[in-house]
Amino acid sequence: MSSIKKFQVTFDCAEPERVARFWCEVLGYVVSPPPGGFATWDDFDLSRPPEDQGSWFACGDPSGVGPRLFFQRVPEGKVVKNRVHLDVRVGTGLVGEERLATLEAECTRLVALGAVRVRLLYDGNDSCIVMQDIEGNEFCVD
């Protein structure tokens, strides 16, 4: 029996490079190298038919620990809540006001990158902030 060691998370989106670069900033990821034989992503895109240019983009954890993120262009827009979302874990081990302050600081940083704050979930001890990325995909600052 085999076990899966690595996986990637795939996002459907309208603008793959734009969304990928947003998530690079959020997570400290780096843009993946262009496909073999190409010096830059622009060179790769120019080698493709016009309708395929900019159709996908990827980024990854520079340490190699986190999953690769893959962004693919789809024709339809987002219409319902995500069935799967990412949790950006910045408050692990913190509780109460200390946790809330840490989450609020990260929320402020992400809003400056183009994210949208949706709502705070807080019960006096545990908390999380529901947000949306630059194309409206939900995620949590946890």
Side-chain angles (χ1 to χ4, degrees):
M1 174 183 265
S2 72
S3 63
I4 297 172
K5 304 290 186 210
K6 292 203 175 239
F7 66 95
Q8 82 176 8
V9 178
T10 300
F11 289 73
D12 290 348
C13 54
E15 298 178 66
E17 182 174 352
R18 179 174 174 251
V19 180
R21 290 187 183 280
F22 168 83
W23 281 103
C24 282
E25 290 295 322
V26 170
L27 301 173
Y29 271 36
V30 295
V31 172
S32 297
F38 297 95
T40 67
W41 277 100
D42 286 340
D43 291 345
F44 171 71
D45 261 347
L46 291 173
S47 75
R48 304 177 79 201
E51 65 274 9
D52 292 336
Q53 293 177 4
S55 63
W56 63 270
F57 211 78
C59 61
D61 180 353
S63 72
V65 175
R68 178 179 190 241
L69 302 181
F70 184 82
F71 302 85
Q72 62 188 7
R73 185 173 59 220
V74 296
E76 67 278 357
K78 182 179 175 312
V79 293
V80 298
K81 184 180 182 302
N82 303 0
R83 294 294 303 260
V84 175
H85 68 265
L86 300 183
D87 286 343
V88 178
R89 313 256 2 244
V90 297
T92 304
L94 302 176
V95 295
E97 293 298 319
E98 183 182 14
R99 178 180 174 83
L100 186 57
T102 299
L103 300 186
E104 291 289 357
E106 183 66 2
C107 178
T108 298
R109 182 181 82 86
L110 300 180
V111 166
L113 296 175
V116 174
R117 180 190 181 116
V118 176
R119 70 183 168 280
L120 169 67
L121 303 174
Y122 183 56
D123 66 8
N125 192 39
D126 198 15
S127 53
C128 114
I129 299 173
V130 179
M131 301 189 74
Q132 293 177 335
D133 73 10
I134 57 176
E135 284 201 2
N137 298 301
E138 295 87 4
F139 69 98
C140 292
V141 174
D142 175 32

